[in-house]
Amino acid sequence: MTSTESGAKPGPRYAQVSDTLQHRIAEGTYAVGALLPTELDLCQEFGISRHTVREALRRLAEAGLVQRRQGSGSQVISASPKGGYVHTMHSLNELFQYAADTHLRVDRISEGVPPAPLGAVLGDQAGQHWVILEGLRLDAAGRLPICWSTVLINQAFAAIVPDFATLTGAIYRLIEDRYGVMVDRVEQNIRAMPISAEAAAELGVSRRIWAVQVVRRYLDSEGRLMLVSVNDHPGDRFSYSMQLQKDVRGRG
Amino acid sequence: MTSTESGAKPGPRYAQVSDTLQHRIAEGTYAVGALLPTELDLCQEFGISRHTVREALRRLAEAGLVQRRQGSGSQVISASPKGGYVHTMHSLNELFQYAADTHLRVDRISEGVPPAPLGAVLGDQAGQHWVILEGLRLDAAGRLPICWSTVLINQAFAAIVPDFATLTGAIYRLIEDRYGVMVDRVEQNIRAMPISAEAAAELGVSRRIWAVQVVRRYLDSEGRLMLVSVNDHPGDRFSYSMQLQKDVRGRG
DNA sequence: TGTATAAATATGTCCGGACAAATTTTCAAT
DNA sequence: ATTGAAAATTTGTCCGGACATATTTATACA
């Protein structure tokens, strides 16, 4: 069919097969709602054992693309977006890993009073001076753009900026280590909003995609804002799972 | 060791093994940070093949309990499988108030196997029959459209449907009261996605607005899905705040 | 025609084995 | 003591086969 299906691919066989199947799903060869070929059919087509086919199908099921049912077959339940991957976070910790302050390619550093849109996340401290960082945040492999990140740093800690070049952990940890000011609590807000032109360009997504903006405000024990991070995730790649406490749902 | 490890258990072997290992992790036999016995050791201990041991370890890794590394071994990275995150009740309750299962104007009721897109939120129970409710959810004043809501009810509880006319509280409470089946835990997932034509029309928003979809799965103590609610919020009106625990952001 | 039963189909579980790839350990050379 | 290469260890990938279980389809019977 397409040239991408004929040539020899790198990586394990099951990955080649799952990639091919995912490609066909995205292409419409296997429509949403339709059944995939049976495992034995796939064995024959790709000339591999059933074990390897099952590994490929298992990964597709894990990615939420297909649903497997004993006796019935594997049904396509979702077509992958053109980006081609589905990122699902299963816990808050994964969100933090996912959006950790690591692998941040800093493109721009400025200082002064943040413009109005950014000032909104600063509340009553909007008029003060801040150190502003903007850049693209990449995944652990350093390749895939995860989100467009803006970090506002209280100017009292401006001296840490030169250390960003060798930063391996979260920025707030750098502040804690250097200044002994401990983060007391973190407020997080999630909202959806139109994506900025800059973020869309950096992330390689259409401006028709909405951004999921995750704002985290780090405060010390006296309620002073130490750090604010604003991450614009492409809406088509954002998913955030958590388990709710029993007593929390009391009012639901 | 304990009595629970000696007797013959039901279910597949890999599940028995992963349950046993999970129990030992929770008990402290395998401490967090320590390495599990090697696959071959486990083969010998349980008298099973390496394939079955690997299936058990794979599930533990999926649950976030262990981390497997080629050449090194499987390391325990967490003692609690099911999230167990504690959020401040104040802010989460705001979400629940915001999207409470009240003030639901039911427009359509159908029964049967949900179509593929909805089936995705049902996981391995997608093929079963459900009672499907769709309608517009209004705010407390009964005026402002909050979200487009789809509710999937386990057919075992189909008899509660006529009572919706006089429903004043959450649907899951109706089930708890009528059937004595208690909700044990609630899984919540937030993601952004294009809004459906139907939801856009009902909510009076443009289709260019993306929806923030909040899926909540209500499970009983045996892991059976009782109820699933899928709420499509207009992205331009959605905001979700919470306060993060200090220990939760530990990895950030 | 409708229904209950049997057969066919498709995925789930489990075994045995083999080699590859990544990591750790051992040990010799400097 | 330090370095570097070889060996041992451990998980990753892949094959072949067998039977179990769930679903669908075909068949026989009423």
Side-chain angles (χ1 to χ4, degrees):
Chain A
M1 179 158 279
T2 61
S3 60
T4 54
E5 287 200 14
S6 53
K9 298 175 197 174
R13 295 252 179 110
Y14 67 77
Q16 299 171 20
V17 173
S18 66
D19 283 351
T20 300
L21 295 179
Q22 184 170 336
H23 190 255
R24 291 180 185 172
I25 291 172
E27 219 178 23
T29 309
Y30 305 139
V32 173
L35 291 176
L36 286 184
T38 68
E39 294 180 354
L40 291 181
D41 285 345
L42 293 173
C43 289
Q44 215 159 14
E45 177 187 346
F46 292 97
I48 55 180
S49 75
R50 185 162 162 247
H51 177 88
T52 307
V53 165
R54 284 179 59 77
E55 181 69 22
L57 290 176
R58 199 181 63 70
R59 308 232 164 189
L60 289 181
E62 224 170 51
L65 291 177
V66 307
Q67 183 124 46
R68 310 169 71 186
R69 277 199 310 177
Q70 187 172 350
S72 173
S74 294
Q75 186 184 25
V76 180
I77 59 173
S78 170
S80 71
K82 71 171 164 56
Y85 71 97
V86 178
H87 193 105
T88 304
M89 277 166 284
H90 298 286
S91 68
L92 262 187
N93 264 335
E94 275 184 86
L95 175 67
F96 272 83
Q97 274 193 312
Y98 175 72
D101 287 342
T102 53
H103 300 289
L104 177 65
R105 196 187 77 213
V106 177
D107 285 329
R108 214 168 59 194
I109 295 180
S110 60
E111 278 186 57
V113 178
L118 273 181
V121 302
L122 293 171
D124 55 1
Q125 303 183 43
Q128 301 176 20
H129 283 245
W130 294 80
V131 180
I132 306 170
L133 257 82
E134 284 183 297
L136 194 61
R137 188 160 292 176
L138 306 175
D139 67 0
R143 304 287 292 172
L144 193 67
I146 294 299
C147 62
W148 176 257
S149 178
T150 303
V151 180
L152 301 161
I153 302 165
N154 191 314
Q155 218 182 25
F157 313 119
I160 64 170
V161 170
D163 297 331
F164 286 150
T166 57
L167 182 68
T168 57
I171 295 178
Y172 79 84
R173 285 209 182 279
L174 196 55
I175 295 179
E176 287 185 339
D177 291 346
R178 286 278 296 272
Y179 293 90
V181 182
M182 291 296 130
V183 172
D184 185 62
R185 65 178 199 274
V186 182
E187 298 170 0
Q188 178 177 277
N189 178 273
I190 302 175
R191 61 172 174 157
M193 59 186 311
I195 198 166
S196 70
E198 187 167 27
E202 287 285 350
L203 294 166
V205 297
S206 161
R207 287 209 67 186
R208 294 182 51 187
I209 303 291
W210 272 42
V212 176
Q213 189 178 71
V214 179
V215 178
R216 289 204 298 279
R217 297 153 51 91
Y218 298 76
L219 299 96
D220 68 7
S221 59
E222 296 175 18
R224 286 184 299 236
L225 265 181
M226 301 166 57
L227 187 70
V228 177
S229 73
V230 183
N231 293 333
D232 286 310
H233 297 258
D236 58 346
R237 300 180 198 166
F238 181 84
S239 175
Y240 178 20
S241 293
M242 72 177 91
Q243 186 162 329
L244 303 181
Q245 295 296 101
K246 188 174 184 179
D247 52 348
V248 169
R249 72 178 167 77
R251 287 200 216 156
Chain B
M1 189 155 289
T2 62
S3 60
T4 53
E5 288 200 16
S6 53
K9 297 175 195 173
R13 293 252 179 109
Y14 66 78
Q16 300 171 22
V17 173
S18 65
D19 284 351
T20 300
L21 295 179
Q22 183 170 333
H23 190 254
R24 290 180 186 172
I25 291 172
E27 219 177 22
T29 309
Y30 305 138
V32 173
L35 290 176
L36 287 183
T38 68
E39 295 179 352
L40 291 180
D41 285 344
L42 293 173
C43 289
Q44 214 160 15
E45 177 188 346
F46 292 98
I48 56 181
S49 76
R50 184 163 163 246
H51 176 89
T52 308
V53 165
R54 284 178 60 76
E55 180 69 22
L57 290 176
R58 199 180 61 71
R59 308 231 164 190
L60 290 181
E62 228 170 48
L65 289 177
V66 305
Q67 188 153 38
R68 308 169 72 185
R69 275 196 315 178
Q70 186 173 351
S72 173
S74 294
Q75 187 182 25
V76 180
I77 59 173
S78 170
S80 59
K82 296 171 184 175
Y85 300 102
V86 182
H87 307 292
T88 49
M89 209 176 298
H90 168 68
S91 48
L92 257 188
N93 266 335
E94 283 181 348
L95 174 70
F96 273 84
Q97 272 192 313
Y98 176 72
D101 285 341
T102 53
H103 302 288
L104 177 64
R105 195 188 79 215
V106 177
D107 285 327
R108 212 166 63 193
I109 295 179
S110 60
E111 279 186 54
V113 177
L118 271 181
V121 302
L122 293 170
D124 57 0
Q125 302 184 42
Q128 300 178 19
H129 284 244
W130 296 80
V131 180
I132 306 170
L133 257 83
E134 284 182 298
L136 193 62
R137 187 162 293 175
L138 305 176
D139 68 359
R143 304 286 292 173
L144 190 68
I146 294 296
C147 63
W148 176 257
S149 178
T150 303
V151 180
L152 301 160
I153 302 165
N154 191 315
Q155 220 183 25
F157 313 119
I160 65 171
V161 171
D163 297 332
F164 286 149
T166 57
L167 182 67
T168 57
I171 295 177
Y172 80 84
R173 286 212 181 278
L174 195 56
I175 295 178
E176 287 186 339
D177 291 347
R178 286 276 297 271
Y179 291 91
V181 182
M182 292 295 129
V183 172
D184 184 62
R185 65 179 199 274
V186 182
E187 297 169 1
Q188 177 178 276
N189 179 275
I190 301 176
R191 61 170 174 159
M193 58 187 309
I195 199 165
S196 69
E198 188 165 27
E202 288 285 349
L203 294 166
V205 297
S206 158
R207 287 210 65 188
R208 293 182 50 185
I209 303 291
W210 272 42
V212 177
Q213 188 177 72
V214 178
V215 178
R216 288 205 298 281
R217 297 155 49 92
Y218 298 75
L219 299 95
D220 68 8
S221 58
E222 295 175 18
R224 287 183 299 235
L225 266 180
M226 299 166 58
L227 185 70
V228 176
S229 73
V230 182
N231 293 333
D232 287 310
H233 298 259
D236 58 348
R237 300 180 199 164
F238 180 83
S239 176
Y240 176 21
S241 292
M242 74 176 92
Q243 186 160 330
L244 303 180
Q245 294 297 102
K246 190 172 184 179
D247 53 345
V248 170
R249 71 179 166 77
R251 286 201 216 156

